[in-house]
Amino acid sequence: MFQDWLEKARVSELNDPNGMALATVDETGLPDVRMVLLKAADEQGFVFYTNLESAKGRELAANAKAALCFHWKSLRRQIRVRGLVTRVSDAEADEYFASRPRQSQIGAWASRQSRPLESRFELEREVARYVAKFGLGKVPRPPHWSGFRIVPVSMEFWRDRPFRLHDRLVFERETPDEPWRTSRRFP
């Protein structure tokens, strides 16, 4: 069902049909949410990539639980996901990193994501430093850059209906090894 809705979004959404809100919590339990891009989705879960030293990377390392929300305004649909977080394998991260444009690879080295930036010039200087360092050769994946997989334990498919009588179909399980239970919810 998720793949079907995502394919419909790829046709109808102008920008980033794979955009999703990622919610984590910091060390005090305060929620934090930001948009990231889904890079893979299968029966194992939902994958995105980031700097492990970023706020989201640190929050997920401290509390390996997260929530996602896909919202496709053009379809008037959304999917909410809650789940457990694991790191992708080094092989998966290497393969995805190698598929990125070279400038994005350089950017992964140059950006100290989520940390204070004195000026735009400081970032541009770091980019220039790594362009010079790697020259025309292959850009390896930085050790501080990898991916996370959200393994769902709850998914809700929401579809807009007239008079706010929306459809809500929920799939839940206690652990990723258990079968899904399905139920409907009042709008």
Side-chain angles (χ1 to χ4, degrees), residues 103-171:
Q103 287 300 96
S104 295
Q105 293 174 340
I106 297 290
W109 281 95
S111 175
R112 292 185 296 278
Q113 193 175 5
S114 300
R115 283 164 276 183
L117 177 64
E118 190 69 34
S119 69
R120 182 75 186 180
F121 178 73
E122 180 184 7
L123 176 60
E124 291 169 359
R125 187 179 61 232
E126 286 298 298
V127 168
R129 182 166 78 95
Y130 284 105
V131 166
K133 176 179 180 172
F134 295 116
L136 297 176
K138 180 180 182 231
V139 179
R141 178 175 61 89
H144 60 266
W145 191 95
S146 190
F148 289 101
R149 177 174 285 109
I150 312 299
V151 182
V153 293
S154 173
M155 293 181 67
E156 178 183 299
F157 292 78
W158 178 97
R159 187 183 322 202
D160 182 58
R161 291 291 188 219
F163 308 109
R164 302 201 52 81
L165 299 175
H166 313 304
D167 281 337
R168 292 177 66 192
L169 182 61
V170 176
F171 296 85

Side-chain angles (χ1 to χ4, degrees), residues 27 59 76 161:
E27 66 278 356
E59 289 167 0
R76 304 180 68 90
R161 291 291 188 219

Side-chain angles (χ1 to χ4, degrees), residues 1 3 13 21 59 82 90 109 117 119 128 170 175:
M1 191 171 182
Q3 292 296 347
E13 289 293 310
E59 289 167 0
R82 297 173 70 212
D90 285 343
W109 281 95
L117 177 64
S119 69
V170 176
T175 69

Side-chain angles (χ1 to χ4, degrees), residues 31-146:
D32 204 354
V33 67
R34 79 287 282 153
M35 297 301 293
V36 298
L37 297 177
L38 174 72
K39 293 301 180 179
D42 58 24
E43 57 281 342
Q44 294 178 12
F46 302 89
V47 176
F48 70 94
Y49 292 88
T50 190
N51 183 320
L52 300 175
E53 297 169 353
S54 67
K56 66 183 150 314
R58 292 189 316 271
E59 289 167 0
L60 291 170
N63 182 0
K65 297 176 184 169
L68 305 172
C69 185
F70 297 86
H71 178 251
W72 301 297
K73 189 174 182 97
S74 64
L75 296 175
R76 304 180 68 90
R77 294 179 182 185
Q78 78 173 15
I79 300 173
R80 295 188 318 147
V81 178
R82 297 173 70 212
L84 310 176
V85 177
T86 62
R87 285 260 307 269
V88 302
S89 70
D90 285 343
E92 285 176 278
D94 289 342
E95 181 179 349
Y96 176 70
F97 189 79
S99 77
R100 300 178 86 203
R102 183 176 183 78
Q103 287 300 96
S104 295
Q105 293 174 340
I106 297 290
W109 281 95
S111 175
R112 292 185 296 278
Q113 193 175 5
S114 300
R115 283 164 276 183
L117 177 64
E118 190 69 34
S119 69
R120 182 75 186 180
F121 178 73
E122 180 184 7
L123 176 60
E124 291 169 359
R125 187 179 61 232
E126 286 298 298
V127 168
R129 182 166 78 95
Y130 284 105
V131 166
K133 176 179 180 172
F134 295 116
L136 297 176
K138 180 180 182 231
V139 179
R141 178 175 61 89
H144 60 266
W145 191 95
S146 190

